[in-house]
């Protein structure tokens, strides 16, 4: 697993993909922090992290589109699947590499907690909660993107599909939020990655939300492993 | 050691591999010969655990590839038809990655250096794989298969894309490697298999047609009895002379490719050597032979020969 992780992580930063992704995250967060917090004397960073969450729906596909599709296209999957490692090693290695790129990007936002710690009286746990929430949400998105990447040989198809799914989820949330029908609200509220998010951002370590994010991530990783395996047994 | 037992692979309705069984002992180099689409690559992909078999089993050193894939794969070095290269890595990084995959820990640098030396990659060690020529890419693919010193080497068309000098180098390398290892290599070039392998397994449409040493198979595939001739003289006269030679089966006029000479392809009856009577007859008629060469058999002809021998009820 570590071999795959190492290779993928290096590959992210030998191609522009890693830098583009990290650049967008860092730019979005720091400019957003200035506009939404510093310039208006606001210590609540919840809207800022919500902005990043929406941003992630757009940029995570950049990270995940080539993870498994390219291996299929270039036949490098023959190397990985005939090596003495399991399919789970391959999939987990790739998943963790993508997640690591996001975490590395977050390091570039270190000014935010620093400034808040010095100049604001806000709850430190709320900041930790926000970071924890955004990493959890990102891991869900990456797992979904990874799964979609396992469905096709084309990076382009993988990226468009991932965008459609992630942005589609965003839209459903918005529609439901304004909907009058209660049953929809309850169901979608339960399955929505986005509505779960707000619980965290208040600094509450809501156990059901943690379980939820972990489950979605694991389910999609499991499905990805099954998908890669299924192609071999076809 | 490789043991393959009644391996079958269906792709939908297509029977890509249809009940193949064989055994390869240590120190043996076996050539897999067959036309494109015969099932060579599919068989290799099943032995290496890349795809599963519909039925049957493949064992590497006694370990079933489907029952304990990790243990079995540790003994295999595999060069697929298309070398599985990461274009965005240097040769050195790529081989290092392969060491990571195979969990090679001791003296890694020395191990990689040795393999580069063997495969002639030392000069391109630091180059990006995407910038290498096809021949070098093929060598990186071969180098990758040697990482971790696997006892079993499975090479799918290892000399494709190499120039003639490189082909000879790689063939010698494979021969050398085969002394202590178990090697299966596939090819659709007959002479290549004859040059490297002690044993040939000929497959056609998913079935084994022949499994023997090249020498023993020589008899069956020996259809080098056809001769191409260039003879000085007029076509009519030469043709008449040729047709009078006893045991001549067919005489085929191939046109006049040189001034004052005509080309023929002749085939004797059975396995009779007609070169001497041919020479004498033409010498008497005053038509000197300018060129005489055997018409080498194509792989297709060999298959027809081997499969028809089976149909004809020849005993195994």
């Amino acid at each position: 697993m570590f071999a795959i992780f190492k290779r993928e992580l290096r590959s992210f930063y030998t191609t522009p993909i890693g830098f583009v992704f990290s650049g967008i995250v860092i730019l979005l967060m720091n400019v957003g922090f200035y506009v939404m917090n510093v310039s208006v004397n606001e210590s609540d960073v919840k809207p800022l992290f919500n902005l990043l969450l929406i941003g992630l729906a757009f940029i995570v596909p950049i990270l995940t589109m080539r993870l498994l599709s390219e291996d299929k296209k270039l036949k490098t999957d023959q190397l990985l699947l005939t090596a003495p490692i399991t399919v789970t090693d391959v999939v987990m290695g790739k998943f963790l590499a993508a997640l690591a790129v996001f975490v590395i990007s977050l390091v570039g936002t270190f000014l935010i907690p620093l400034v808040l710690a010095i100049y604001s009286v806000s709850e430190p746990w709320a900041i930790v909660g926000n970071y924890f929430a955004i990493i959890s949400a990102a891991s869900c998105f990456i797992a979904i993107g990874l799964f979609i990447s396992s469905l096709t040989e084309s990076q382009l198809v993988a990226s468009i599909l991932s965008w459609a799914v992630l942005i589609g989820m965003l839209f459903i949330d918005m529609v439901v939020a304004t909907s009058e029908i209660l049953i929809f609200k309850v169901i979608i509220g339960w399955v929505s990655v986005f509505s779960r998010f707000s619980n965290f951002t208040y600094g509450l370590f809501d156990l059901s939300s943690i379980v939820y994010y972990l489950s979605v991530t694991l389910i999609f990783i499991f499905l990805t492993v099954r998908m890669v395996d299924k192609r071999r047994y076809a | 050691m490789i043991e393959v037992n009644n391996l079958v692979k269906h792709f939908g309705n297509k029977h890509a591999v249809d009940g193949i069984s064989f055994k390869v002992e240590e120190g043996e180099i076996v050539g897999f010969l067959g036309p494109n689409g015969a099932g060579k690559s599919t068989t290799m992909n099943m032995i290496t655990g890349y795809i599963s078999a519909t039925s049957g089993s493949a064992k590497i050193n006694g370990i079933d590839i489907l029952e304990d894939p990790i243990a079995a794969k540790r003994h295999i070095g595999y060069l697929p038809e298309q070398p599985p290269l990461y274009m965005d890595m240097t040769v050195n990084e790529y081989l290092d990655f392969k060491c990571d995959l195979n969990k090679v820990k001791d003296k890694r640098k020395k191990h990689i250096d040795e393999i580069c030396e063997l495969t002639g990659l030392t000069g391109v060690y630091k180059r990006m794989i995407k910038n290498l020529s096809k021949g070098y890419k093929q060598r990186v693919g071969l180098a990758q298969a040697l990482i971790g010193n696997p006892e079993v080497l499975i090479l799918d068309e290892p000399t494709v894309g190499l120039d003639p000098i490189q082909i000879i180098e790689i063939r010698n390398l494979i021969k050398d490697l085969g002394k202590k290892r178990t090697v299966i290599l596939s090819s659709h070039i007959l002479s290549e298999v004859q040059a490297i392998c002690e044993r040939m397994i000929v497959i056609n449409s998913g079935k084994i047609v022949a499994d023997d040493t090249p020498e023993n198979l020589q008899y069956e595939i020996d259809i080098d009895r056809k001769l191409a001739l260039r003879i000085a003289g007029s076509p009519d006269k030469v043709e008449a002379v040729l047709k009078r030679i006893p045991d001549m089966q067919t005489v085929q006029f191939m046109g006049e490719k040189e001034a004052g000479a005509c080309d023929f392809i002749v085939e004797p009856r059975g396995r009779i050597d007609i070169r001497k009577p041919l020479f004498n007859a033409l010498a008497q008629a005053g038509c000197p032979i300018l060129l005489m060469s055997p018409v080498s058999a194509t792989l297709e002809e060999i298959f027809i020969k081997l499969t028809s021998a089976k149909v004809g009820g020849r005993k195994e």
Side-chain angles (χ1 to χ4, degrees), chain B residues 15-76:
Chain B
H15 296 198
V17 173
D18 206 358
I20 282 183
S21 302
F22 61 86
K23 205 171 164 182
V24 187
E25 298 293 342
E26 195 187 307
E28 212 177 358
I29 305 180
V30 170
F32 242 42
L33 192 67
N36 294 326
K40 298 184 299 261
S41 297
T42 309
T43 306
M44 291 181 150
N45 280 336
M46 281 190 283
I47 297 173
T48 53
Y50 175 58
I51 57 172
S52 71
T54 307
S55 68
S57 69
K59 284 182 183 167
I60 311 295
N61 286 354
I63 309 162
D64 192 296
I65 188 78
L66 289 181
E67 276 167 22
D68 192 354
I70 306 259
K73 284 170 185 173
R74 218 166 268 150
H75 300 287
I76 307 175

Side-chain angles (χ1 to χ4, degrees), chain B:
Chain B
M1 193 195 73
I2 305 167
E3 205 180 332
V4 171
N5 223 323
N6 214 357
L7 216 53
V8 175
K9 182 73 186 181
H10 295 176
F11 292 115
N13 284 331
K14 192 181 179 299
H15 296 198
V17 173
D18 206 358
I20 282 183
S21 302
F22 61 86
K23 205 171 164 182
V24 187
E25 298 293 342
E26 195 187 307
E28 212 177 358
I29 305 180
V30 170
F32 242 42
L33 192 67
N36 294 326
K40 298 184 299 261
S41 297
T42 309
T43 306
M44 291 181 150
N45 280 336
M46 281 190 283
I47 297 173
T48 53
Y50 175 58
I51 57 172
S52 71
T54 307
S55 68
S57 69
K59 284 182 183 167
I60 311 295
N61 286 354
I63 309 162
D64 192 296
I65 188 78
L66 289 181
E67 276 167 22
D68 192 354
I70 306 259
K73 284 170 185 173
R74 218 166 268 150
H75 300 287
I76 307 175
Y78 181 32
L79 168 64
E81 203 172 6
Q82 188 184 333
L85 307 175
Y86 283 108
M87 298 299 165
D88 58 356
M89 293 174 108
T90 65
V91 173
N92 161 27
E93 281 170 356
Y94 177 72
L95 294 177
D96 197 55
F97 168 58
K98 179 70 201 238
C99 283
D100 278 342
L101 283 179
N102 283 27
K103 304 192 174 60
V104 177
K105 292 207 176 76
D106 303 337
K107 297 172 187 158
R108 184 184 283 204
K109 177 88 175 62
K110 193 167 159 252
H111 186 50
I112 293 177
D113 282 349
E114 275 169 9
I115 287 170
C116 285
E117 191 78 36
L118 272 177
T119 48
L121 285 170
T122 314
V124 295
Y125 195 67
K126 293 239 160 79
R127 295 255 301 270
M128 273 297 226
I129 292 178
K130 69 175 162 209
N131 297 332
L132 297 178
S133 68
K134 194 161 187 287
Y136 270 116
K137 281 180 184 154
Q138 189 71 21
R139 290 190 206 202
V140 178
L142 186 62
Q144 161 275 123
L146 299 177
I147 294 276
N149 282 323
E151 295 103 321
V152 173
L153 280 179
I154 295 182
L155 312 171
D156 201 348
E157 308 205 349
T159 56
V160 163
L162 302 179
D163 65 40
I165 297 164
Q166 293 171 332
I167 288 179
I168 292 167
E169 279 173 21
I170 294 295
R171 279 182 190 172
N172 288 337
L173 173 63
I174 294 170
K175 265 190 189 171
D176 230 37
L177 292 168
K179 281 175 191 155
K180 286 185 207 149
R181 293 178 177 83
T182 311
V183 182
I184 297 186
L185 68 91
S186 80
S187 179
H188 56 258
I189 306 158
L190 180 64
S191 61
E192 176 162 294
V193 174
Q194 280 173 325
I196 314 177
C197 305
E198 295 124 33
R199 189 171 138 208
M200 267 166 64
I201 295 176
V202 185
I203 59 173
N204 195 16
S205 31
K207 287 196 170 75
I208 293 184
V209 199
D211 178 356
D212 216 327
T213 61
E215 290 73 31
N216 286 348
L217 283 176
Q218 200 69 53
Y219 179 81
E220 292 194 53
I221 60 179
D222 192 9
I223 48 173
D224 288 354
R225 298 163 300 124
K226 272 191 189 174
L227 296 171
L229 299 167
R230 180 165 294 170
I231 297 155
S234 74
D236 293 344
K237 188 184 170 193
V238 174
E239 191 166 353
V241 174
L242 288 172
K243 279 190 169 157
R244 274 205 302 277
I245 297 169
D247 296 317
M248 182 65 80
Q249 195 172 28
T250 54
V251 175
Q252 203 182 348
F253 179 57
M254 301 303 286
E256 291 176 60
K257 287 170 189 158
E258 203 179 306
C262 45
D263 284 34
F264 282 92
I265 286 182
V266 297
E267 193 183 356
R269 214 166 272 127
R271 292 177 177 274
I272 296 158
D273 188 354
I274 55 157
R275 284 172 300 179
K276 281 178 195 166
L278 193 81
F279 175 83
N280 289 335
L282 287 165
Q284 270 169 22
C287 303
I289 299 173
L290 305 178
L291 210 72
M292 173 154 69
S293 63
V295 179
S296 51
T298 65
L299 201 57
E300 282 69 29
E301 285 175 299
I302 292 165
F303 283 115
I304 293 164
K305 197 90 176 119
L306 283 170
T307 38
S308 64
K310 277 265 164 71
V311 173
R314 230 181 66 86
K315 276 181 188 162
E316 290 274 320

Side-chain angles (χ1 to χ4, degrees), chain A residues 6 11 71 77-78 81 232 234, chain B residues 45 49-50 73 80 86 100:
Chain A
K6 205 170 93 181
S11 163
D71 275 310
D77 60 339
Q78 278 189 310
L81 297 177
R232 303 163 68 200
Chain B
N45 280 336
Y50 175 58
K73 284 170 185 173
Y86 283 108
D100 278 342

Side-chain angles (χ1 to χ4, degrees), chain A:
Chain A
M1 187 172 81
F2 187 66
I4 307 280
F5 172 78
K6 205 170 93 181
R7 200 214 82 80
E8 289 298 331
L9 190 59
R10 176 155 52 185
S11 163
F12 274 127
Y13 287 103
T14 48
T15 54
I17 292 175
F19 290 105
V20 168
F21 182 87
S22 296
I24 293 174
V25 170
I26 292 168
L27 198 73
L28 187 74
M29 285 300 273
N30 287 312
V31 172
F33 182 59
Y34 183 77
V35 173
M36 294 158 81
N37 296 96
V38 176
S39 62
V40 292
N41 270 325
E42 171 63 63
S43 68
D44 183 11
V45 286
K46 240 173 58 198
L48 180 63
F49 277 85
N50 272 321
L51 178 72
L52 180 59
L53 183 71
I54 293 166
L56 279 181
F58 287 87
I59 59 174
V60 160
I62 300 175
L63 221 50
T64 58
M65 61 183 183
R66 48 164 277 287
L67 280 179
L68 286 162
S69 58
E70 199 173 55
D71 275 310
K72 248 172 293 166
K73 196 171 183 182
L74 297 177
K75 304 267 183 206
T76 39
D77 60 339
Q78 278 189 310
L79 177 76
L80 304 181
L81 297 177
T82 60
I85 52 172
T86 63
V87 177
T88 311
D89 286 332
V90 174
V91 171
M92 278 305 285
K94 285 175 183 270
F95 167 78
L96 289 176
L99 191 61
V101 171
F102 179 63
V103 173
I104 289 168
S105 312
L106 284 184
V107 173
T109 67
F110 70 97
L111 272 178
I112 296 168
L114 198 71
V115 169
L116 286 175
I118 296 169
Y119 297 104
S120 99
V121 288
S122 76
E123 187 74 40
W125 282 114
I127 300 284
V128 175
N130 273 303
Y131 273 103
F132 189 78
I134 200 76
I135 291 171
S136 305
S139 88
C140 285
F141 289 179
I142 290 168
I144 293 169
L146 185 64
F147 172 66
I148 291 171
S149 174
S150 77
L151 301 175
T152 169
E153 278 189 19
S154 152
Q155 287 189 38
L156 190 70
V157 173
S159 63
I160 290 171
L161 261 177
S162 306
W163 270 316
V165 170
L166 295 179
I167 295 167
M169 281 163 58
L170 202 69
F171 263 112
I172 289 178
D173 257 37
M174 286 176 178
V175 171
V176 171
T178 57
S179 158
E180 300 281 309
I181 310 160
L182 189 69
I183 184 91
F184 271 153
K185 271 189 151 165
V186 174
I187 294 173
I188 301 289
W190 229 95
V191 298
S192 161
V193 176
F194 297 93
S195 60
R196 289 269 162 196
F197 190 71
S198 51
N199 291 337
F200 269 127
T201 51
Y202 288 112
L204 300 168
F205 276 90
D206 175 11
L207 187 68
S208 76
S209 292
I210 295 175
V211 171
Y212 170 81
Y213 279 126
L214 206 64
S215 310
V216 172
T217 305
L218 290 180
I219 286 168
F220 276 98
I221 287 176
F222 172 75
L223 288 176
T224 310
V225 172
R226 297 296 307 148
M227 200 62 212
V228 174
D229 253 337
K230 190 186 149 236
R231 296 174 66 93
R232 303 163 68 200
Y233 287 83

